[in-house]
Amino acid sequence: MSNRTLTMIKPDAMKNGYAGAILDMIIRDGFRIVALKQLQLTPERAGEFYAVHKARPFFGELVEYMSRGPIIAAILEKENAVTDFRKLIGATDPVKADEGTIRKKYAASVAENAVHGSDSDENAKIEGDFFFSALERY
Ligand code: CMP
């Protein structure tokens, strides 16, 4: 069990001005920020990040959405980080997300769902390495 996960605050949440409130929820839930940056993904980089979804019908829409504007990417640390963070963000589809979760509060739809959280320890490492060098982690 690893103690780190990777999150992105996605372009819809950034545009709607929810980044501060989302980061506040993350910190209040006990996560420590190991690394954090604001950036805009190119369509190529967004496609690379979500390569596992390449065959899905929504892949094109996902790439367009994730490269539409700036995001915040962060590595977060807490015991059982992957599982706990997925509890905090709620189900992929905000309609199915529990009350009080980030997606219930801030996501518009299953496609534009405000935040990302790694789905396994293995992917948390891959995704953390996608955005951050060793020198950018504290
Ligand atoms: P995320 O948890 O970052 O992982 C894959 C992303 O694909 C997901 O959040 C959504 O942004 C998007 N996604 C998942 N399911 C659908 C869907 N049915 N239609 C459109 N986009 C989706």
Side-chain angles (χ1 to χ4, degrees):
M1 193 97 60
S2 156
N3 60 355
R4 290 189 178 182
T5 191
L6 184 284
T7 189
M8 293 184 284
I9 300 176
K10 299 183 177 184
D12 58 319
M14 296 290 286
K15 189 173 178 207
N16 290 328
Y18 298 148
I22 290 171
L23 286 170
D24 189 55
M25 283 182 73
I26 291 170
I27 292 164
R28 281 177 192 274
D29 205 57
F31 289 89
R32 188 180 77 80
I33 294 173
V34 174
L36 182 144
K37 67 172 73 160
Q38 178 168 269
L39 71 144
Q40 183 161 357
L41 290 166
T42 61
E44 291 70 27
R45 287 281 283 165
E48 199 184 318
F49 184 91
Y50 282 116
V52 64
H53 295 303
K54 211 165 194 154
R56 302 284 188 96
F58 58 80
F59 182 71
E61 181 192 352
L62 177 59
V63 165
E64 186 281 321
Y65 159 52
M66 288 304 298
S67 59
R68 188 188 297 161
I71 63 163
I72 286 174
I75 295 174
L76 306 174
E77 187 173 77
K78 188 186 184 185
E79 223 173 285
N80 301 332
V82 166
T83 310
D84 261 35
F85 192 67
R86 287 175 76 80
K87 268 188 216 147
L88 177 63
I89 64 178
T92 305
D93 183 348
V95 172
K96 297 178 189 152
D98 289 339
E99 283 302 329
T101 60
I102 292 176
R103 282 174 173 154
K104 188 71 176 185
K105 282 184 146 168
Y106 298 116
S109 67
V110 67
E112 304 204 359
N113 61 359
V115 283
H116 170 80
S118 308
D119 65 2
S120 65
D121 291 344
E122 188 192 0
N123 283 335
K125 181 175 182 337
I126 293 167
E127 293 174 3
D129 291 345
F130 181 90
F131 285 108
F132 298 101
S133 74
L135 289 174
E136 293 173 305
R137 301 169 194 221
Y138 298 92

